[in-house]
Every structure is written in C-alpha cells, then in structure tokens.
Amino acid sequence: MTDFPKNAEEARTDRDVTREELTETLDALGKKMDVKSRVNDTLDAKVDEASAKISEKVSEPAADKFRQGTEVVRANPLPVFAGVLALLVAIRLILRKRSS
C-alpha cells in the first residue's frame, strides 16, 4: 500500500490513477458479464469455421447457399432456436411413447 499523500497535488494524482484503475477493472468485468456478446462471438467463430470446412468439401454454389443460410440465422436466430427446441421436444415425446 502506498503512503498517504503529502500534499494536494499528490492526492489528486493518486485519485486520478485510482479512477483509471477502477475504470479498467469495471470495463473488464463488464466484458466478462456480457454473456450474450460472448456467446454471439463464439457462435460467429464456430459458424465461420464450419463455413470454411463446408467450402472445402462441397461445390461453390452449395457453399454459397450455406453461407446465405447462416446469414439468415445470424440476422434472426429466435425462430431457428424455437424450431430446434420444438424438434427436440417432439423427438423426446416420440421416444417416451416408444419406451412405454
């Protein structure tokens, strides 16, 4: 811990340094707490990676269609998420009926 400031100028300098450190800390915490942004960044990276792999394996027109589809999903992910969730629920119900 530093010594107590001896004059007003040292106190102001200490205050300013402390404010900068707090601002940096709060910015870092804010970025960690912004889960939605972090998930979107991770999702974008995974989709780009998948697009690159698909482009290597399929023809260029098919790769273009896949890219267009990913852009549609990125622009409006809620209906796609709802559709996937509904599909998973339907599969679960079908499996439950078959097991009983």
Side-chain angles (χ1 to χ4, degrees), residues 36 39 74 78:
K36 183 178 179 181
V39 166
R74 283 181 181 172
L78 188 60

Side-chain angles (χ1 to χ4, degrees), residues 23-65:
T23 301
E24 290 173 7
T25 302
L26 289 174
D27 287 343
L29 285 172
K31 287 178 185 175
K32 283 188 175 187
M33 298 297 289
D34 190 6
V35 175
K36 183 178 179 181
S37 175
R38 290 175 47 203
V39 166
N40 284 338
D41 291 345
T42 303
L43 181 62
D44 287 344
K46 294 291 183 185
V47 168
D48 290 340
E49 189 177 305
S51 291
K53 286 182 181 179
I54 286 176
S55 295
E56 294 171 2
K57 303 290 183 189
V58 297
S59 66
E60 191 58 36
D64 287 339
K65 290 289 184 185

